[in-house]
Every structure is written in structure tokens, then in C-alpha cells.
Amino acid sequence: MDILVNNAGVTGPIGHTIGGIDEKTWDFVLGMKAVIPQMKENGGGSIINISSLSGIYGIGNAAYNSSKGGLRTLTKNVALDYAKYNIRVNSVHPGTIETPMIAQFTGDSASRE
């Protein structure tokens, strides 16, 4: 394992406050650590975490915003922790991309083929 692109794009109902989110929802929207031991053994690697502008600016979905903001700061922390093993860790923060997941919230058709 030399490269991981951590690109899980999931969300939940918009408008949930932090008090209305169950643990299963929190666990569903974030993940990373499985590749680091092999990258250390291989002498390095690159992890690219796809976050979101929602990790910088809130959009009314506490679990999603928190996971993306957390991923942003987790990325910085892991980059510092594993730089000595030649493992680079970066995050990318795109805006909204027209997908079927987004269409369910906007009412737009994202299946233009």
C-alpha cells in the first residue's frame, strides 16, 4: 500500500443538531488508520483525505460538518505524527458536486447522462 485516497462521501439529513445525532451516524462518516502500519513497513506513502468546504464552513448538518472539520485537523495531526516515516498526509476541500446524494437534498436531477 503506497497511496490511499480516502474519499468517502456520505451525509445524512440536513438540519440535525448535535443533540439529535446517534453514535452510529458519527461512526459512519469518518475513517482512516488501517494503511499506516503497512506504509511504515514500506518506508513511506501518501494519504489523501477528501474533506469538504463544510469542514471549514458549516452547512446545517452537525455530523457531516464535524466529520469533515475533524478530518481536516486529524489530517494535520497525522501528517506531523508520521512525517518521520516518510508518510505524507494531505486533505482536499472541494465544494458541492452534483451527485445523486446531493440531488436528494436539493430536489435536482443529478442523473444527467
Side-chain angles (χ1 to χ4, degrees), residues 6-30:
N6 192 18
N7 187 31
V10 297
T11 188
I14 292 176
H16 278 188
T17 62
I18 195 166
I21 300 166
D22 60 27
E23 186 175 344
K24 183 179 177 183
T25 301
W26 285 107
D27 291 344
F28 183 64
V29 295
L30 182 62

Side-chain angles (χ1 to χ4, degrees), residues 36 39-40 43-47 74-90:
I36 290 175
M39 286 182 174
K40 284 172 62 177
S46 178
I47 298 172
L74 176 64
T75 297
K76 291 178 180 203
N77 191 178
V78 174
L80 292 171
D81 290 344
Y82 292 94
K84 63 187 169 200
Y85 300 104
N86 197 31
I87 299 173
R88 296 175 316 280
V89 187
N90 295 285

Side-chain angles (χ1 to χ4, degrees), residues 44-106:
S46 178
I47 298 172
I48 304 157
N49 291 318
I50 308 301
S51 182
S52 169
L53 283 178
S54 298
I56 300 169
Y57 312 104
I59 61 164
N61 185 324
Y64 184 79
N65 295 341
S66 297
S67 70
K68 295 303 185 177
L71 182 58
R72 178 177 180 236
T73 55
L74 176 64
T75 297
K76 291 178 180 203
N77 191 178
V78 174
L80 292 171
D81 290 344
Y82 292 94
K84 63 187 169 200
Y85 300 104
N86 197 31
I87 299 173
R88 296 175 316 280
V89 187
N90 295 285
S91 60
V92 178
H93 302 270
T96 303
I97 299 169
E98 187 177 343
T99 65
M101 181 181 73
I102 296 300
Q104 73 180 345
F105 298 111
T106 64

